[in-house]
Amino acid sequence: QVQLVESGGGLVQAGGSLRLSCAASGGTFSTYRMGWFRQATGKEREFVAAISWGGASTYYADSVKGRFTISRDNAKSTLYLQMNSLEPEDTAVYYCAATRAGDYYNRYQYPDWGQGTQVTVSS
């Protein structure tokens, strides 16, 4: 089991940028597939982006493709999400998650989760 702690959320105007980080501990970070999910108030938790063990493969929800970039630094056991051109619809709590295997897009395939960080985009 790996412990995950997100940071970097905050309040930003539409069109602005934020960079989220997720620090991992208690496990061999490079052996985990990693994902970002988000949950807006009153909505289901949804897939945002995911990345393979070494970072060679990345996956994005259509709603963020071209605006968000997922990356990882295995030497620092840290996952990132660079978010550009933010829109009010991106407002949500953002979670990082870890899994050894399974469908990147399916939140039920991820057993380990962080506590989340709030991102609020004002119009």
Side-chain angles (χ1 to χ4, degrees), residues 38 40 46 87-92 94 121:
R38 67 186 181 187
E46 64 176 5
E87 303 167 353
E89 294 73 23
D90 296 316
T91 295
Y94 283 71
V121 184

Side-chain angles (χ1 to χ4, degrees), residues 13-19 63-69 81-87 90:
Q13 288 188 329
S17 298
L18 281 175
R19 189 194 196 201
S63 59
V64 307
K65 204 171 291 183
R67 300 189 297 122
F68 291 10
T69 302
L81 185 68
Q82 178 66 45
M83 305 187 294
N84 298 329
S85 302
L86 282 161
E87 303 167 353
D90 296 316

Side-chain angles (χ1 to χ4, degrees), residues 102-116:
D103 181 357
Y104 282 101
Y105 298 88
N106 186 342
R107 68 182 190 263
Y108 298 108
Q109 298 285 312
Y110 291 79
D112 299 316
W113 292 82
Q115 83 290 347

Side-chain angles (χ1 to χ4, degrees), residues 37-52:
F37 292 77
R38 67 186 181 187
Q39 188 167 16
T41 302
K43 294 188 176 181
E44 295 279 320
R45 191 170 299 189
E46 64 176 5
F47 171 81
V48 174
I51 189 166
S52 59

Side-chain angles (χ1 to χ4, degrees), residues 6 53 70:
E6 302 95 336
W53 301 287
I70 189 172

